[in-house]
Structure formats: structure tokens, C-alpha cells
Amino acid sequence: MKLIRLICILLTIVSCSENKDKILPTERNLTESVYSSVTIQPDSLYQVYAIVAGILDENLVEEGDVVSKDTILMQIINNTPKLNTQNAKLALDLAKENYSGSAAVLDGIKDEIVAARLKHINDSINYYRQKKLWKQQIGSKLQYDTKKLNYELASNNLKLIQSRYNRTKNELQTQVRQAENNYKKSLITTKDFAVKSKINGKVYALYKEPGEIITTTEPLASIGSATRFIIEMLIDEVDIVRISENQEVIIHLDAYNGDVFTGKVSKIYPKKDERNQTFKVEAVFKNLPNVLYPGLSGEANIIIAKKDSVLTIPKAYLVDDDKVKTDDGLIPIKTGLQNLEYIEVLSGITKDTPIYKPE
């Protein structure tokens, strides 16, 4: 009698367990999405670098300040460029003085040309006079040859001095232009010690204090948009092929517990990050939160597809990804959309087909 009662109890437990794990497919609205963690960053965020080395003299802005393009952010000091600028100015003044000043080199050569031209004229007169007399057999051959030689030497000397004048003039002009370029270059270098903003935006961080050494390899500040923010997401390579621009994004931020924000995919970076096997995807807010800060984190779901009133079953009831357990045994089904909990059934069973949770 006790044995019969025990068997009945066991049968009852088994029956209740089977009934508990038996369900019917249900119709529901189904949304398929791709999950991602989220980091908020200002649009156009960039690191500010100096293009010259030196010592930070002064920060002219504070963190949180809104700045315009070309606003001077900080001033760097270095005496070497100033000395170089002064030396370049002295070299330019000397080059100009040599070219056109009171002690111009060309003036001396001009005087030589005048003297050479007078001698050339005088030797020319003497030569042609002696030549005419020699034709009349007056005078000696030595006198004729001497006058001719003096004339030829005067002609060559005049040509040489004129050539030296032109060459010296070109060299002095080149020296002036080179000195001007060096001076302008030194002025530009001096201006580079004033670090300016490249965009209209907000100062989010300052990394150096006055008195610290500045190099060209360390960032000095961080600047980005003051009003426009980007939602950065890292998408697994398995899901990236399903992501496209303008897809809807549902965002939950840790700083806004319980609030839901929407956005849309704005950019997909084509290069995979080999370190974590993900692709970077950006989205923009449709409804911007009241306050945002760089680095705020959260999570997001990128909506891939939506369907209304589709036949679904819990994913836990799937066997081998494409079968379900029924009263008639395992039956293959064709599936469609899915989310974390449910999957769409396209064919194989109906809403009246009981299914069992696999053991």
C-alpha cells in the first residue's frame, strides 16, 4: 500500500514538472538589436600640442571655458627664438645696407666702372690716333702696338668690372631675399609660442601648469565641441555587417539611471581594432540630455529590425538552434528575428503546438 502511494506521488511530481516546462508559442512585437557599451565624447575632440619646445609661461584659459577658433590658450617662453629673431633682423639690415645703403658695395664697383670707362675712352682715342698716324708711316711700330695693347686691356677691364657689378648685384639681391626669408621664418617661430585653438569649442582639460617644461610630444590641453556630443560604441566583428548608418539607437546612461535616450548611427569606421576584434561606430543623440561630460558611460542597443505580432518562443526552448521538443518528438523549425529572450518562429509549429523545455 505504501509502495503504491509512493509511485503515485512520483508520477504526480513528474507530471507537474512536465506541465511546468510545457508552453505554447505566443505572438508578440519583436525587436532585434545589437548590444554595445557606450562612451560619450564631444564632437571634434582633439589634443592640443605645441609645435615648439620651451617653458609654459601662462595658461590663458581655464577648464570649462568656451573658446573661439584662434583664441590663444597658453603662452610658451624660450629665449633662443627671440635671439634668433634679433640675429635674423641684424643680418637683414646688413644685407640691405650692403645692397643699397650708404656703404653699398655696388657704389664702389660703380666708381671702378666710371674710372675704367674713362681709361677705355682715353686709350681708345690714343689707339685710333696712333693707328691713323701709322697708316701714314708716322711714328714707330712699337708706339702703335703699345697703344693698341692699352686699348684692348682697357676694353677687357671695363667688361670684367661690369660683369663683376652684375654678379655682385645678383648676389646682394639674393642675400637680401634670404635674410628677409630667415627673418620672416624667425617671426613665425616666435608666434608659434602662442598656442591657439583650432576650433570653436570648450576646454575640457589642461595638462600643464606654468613653469613646466613643454615638449612637442606631450599634449597641453583637450578641446572639443561645447554643444555636440558623439556616442562611441565598439561592435563585435560578428555583428558589424548588420550595422548601417541612420539605424535607431536606444541609449541608457549610468548618470541618468532609468532615463532612455534615442539616437541614430552617424559613422562606421571601416578599420578593425585588432586588439579587441571590434569596430568603432558613432551615433548622435536625437534628444540630447541636459548635461553631458566627456567619458560618461552606459549601454546601447542598435535596432536592426522590428516586427509586430510575430509568433515567438523563448530561446531557452530551442534545441540545436533549429528544433523544438513537442509531443511528437523533436520538430525542426525555421527562425527569424531574435532578441536576448525570444526568437521568431517562421514555420514548423503553430501557436497551438505545445513545446517543452529541453533537459
Side-chain angles (χ1 to χ4, degrees):
M1 189 73 179
K2 290 182 178 180
L3 180 61
I4 295 175
R5 186 178 300 162
L6 180 60
I7 293 174
C8 291
I9 292 173
L10 290 174
L11 290 174
T12 302
I13 293 173
V14 171
S15 176
C16 291
S17 176
E18 288 182 352
N19 288 336
K20 181 179 180 181
D21 290 337
K22 181 175 72 172
I23 64 170
L24 291 174
T26 57
E27 290 186 352
R28 71 182 70 244
N29 297 334
L30 194 61
T31 299
E32 184 174 359
S33 63
V34 171
Y35 171 84
S36 172
S37 60
V38 160
T39 302
I40 304 300
Q41 295 291 3
D43 189 19
S44 305
L45 183 68
Y46 80 100
Q47 303 291 316
V48 179
Y49 286 85
I51 61 177
V52 291
I55 297 175
L56 181 60
D57 183 43
E58 183 181 7
N59 282 321
L60 301 177
V61 294
E62 295 182 356
E63 290 166 321
D65 285 354
V66 176
V67 297
S68 302
K69 183 179 180 181
D70 293 329
T71 297
I72 298 178
L73 306 174
M74 53 201 67
Q75 186 69 44
I76 302 171
I77 55 175
N78 190 327
N79 291 329
T80 300
K82 293 182 179 180
L83 293 176
N84 290 339
T85 300
Q86 293 175 0
N87 291 335
K89 183 63 167 63
L90 292 175
L92 175 60
D93 292 340
L94 178 60
K96 288 182 176 180
E97 181 68 20
N98 289 337
Y99 179 66
S100 59
S102 59
V105 175
L106 292 179
D107 289 343
I109 302 178
K110 285 180 181 179
D111 293 339
E112 293 182 35
I113 291 175
V114 172
R117 183 175 288 116
L118 291 175
K119 188 175 186 310
H120 176 263
I121 293 173
N122 183 64
D123 289 343
S124 174
I125 293 172
N126 292 334
Y127 166 65
Y128 283 106
R129 180 185 297 154
Q130 190 64 41
K131 182 179 181 180
K132 184 177 181 182
L133 291 173
W134 179 245
K135 285 182 179 181
Q136 298 174 7
Q137 298 299 315
I138 300 174
S140 67
K141 182 71 166 56
L142 178 60
Q143 289 177 318
Y144 170 74
D145 290 342
T146 301
K147 295 291 192 292
K148 181 180 180 181
L149 179 60
N150 290 338
Y151 169 68
E152 291 174 348
L153 289 174
S155 297
N156 290 335
N157 186 53
L158 178 60
K159 291 178 181 178
L160 288 173
I161 295 176
Q162 288 175 332
S163 176
R164 180 157 62 91
Y165 174 84
N166 293 330
R167 183 175 63 255
T168 304
K169 182 179 180 180
N170 290 334
E171 290 175 353
L172 292 175
Q173 285 178 334
T174 300
Q175 290 174 5
V176 170
R177 286 195 294 267
Q178 288 176 340
E180 287 178 341
N181 291 338
N182 290 334
Y183 181 57
K184 290 177 181 177
K185 181 180 178 181
S186 67
L187 287 177
I188 293 174
T189 303
T190 304
K191 292 178 181 178
D192 289 339
F193 283 81
V195 182
K196 299 180 180 179
S197 173
K198 300 299 182 183
I199 63 171
N200 297 325
K202 178 185 285 189
V203 179
Y204 286 99
L206 294 173
Y207 303 126
K208 294 289 185 179
E209 294 295 333
E212 292 190 61
I213 295 176
I214 302 301
T215 67
T216 58
T217 59
E218 294 180 309
L220 306 180
S222 179
I223 295 181
S225 173
T227 57
R228 181 178 169 86
F229 287 81
I230 298 298
I231 307 162
E232 291 186 356
M233 300 173 285
L234 297 179
I235 305 299
D236 189 272
E237 63 177 334
V238 176
D239 296 319
I240 191 63
V241 294
R242 300 193 292 164
I243 306 300
S244 60
E245 290 187 9
N246 296 318
Q247 284 178 331
E248 185 179 2
V249 183
I250 307 300
I251 306 110
H252 299 267
L253 296 178
D254 295 340
Y256 289 89
N257 187 25
D259 293 341
V260 178
F261 303 97
T262 59
K264 66 176 182 178
V265 175
S266 58
K267 186 175 183 179
I268 302 172
Y269 288 82
K271 181 173 174 54
K272 182 174 72 172
D273 188 334
E274 298 295 343
R275 295 171 299 178
N276 51 27
Q277 302 296 304
T278 60
F279 289 82
K280 182 179 176 181
V281 175
E282 290 182 354
V284 293
F285 284 100
K286 290 183 179 178
N287 53 329
L288 198 67
N290 293 330
V291 180
L292 285 176
Y293 292 97
L296 289 182
S297 60
E299 55 186 20
N301 287 282
I302 303 175
I303 305 303
I304 305 301
K306 289 181 178 181
K307 282 186 179 180
D308 295 332
S309 300
V310 296
L311 190 65
T312 65
I313 61 171
K315 294 177 73 174
Y317 281 71
L318 272 178
V319 179
D320 297 333
D321 295 330
D322 63 351
K323 301 179 185 67
V324 290
K325 184 178 180 181
T326 68
D327 292 332
D328 298 325
L330 290 178
I331 294 179
I333 61 172
K334 184 177 180 181
T335 60
L337 296 185
Q338 59 180 301
N339 58 23
L340 294 177
E341 296 182 66
Y342 296 95
I343 187 166
E344 177 188 10
V345 178
L346 298 175
S347 63
I349 59 175
T350 68
K351 63 180 180 179
D352 298 320
T353 304
I355 61 174
Y356 297 89
K357 191 173 184 179
E359 298 177 358

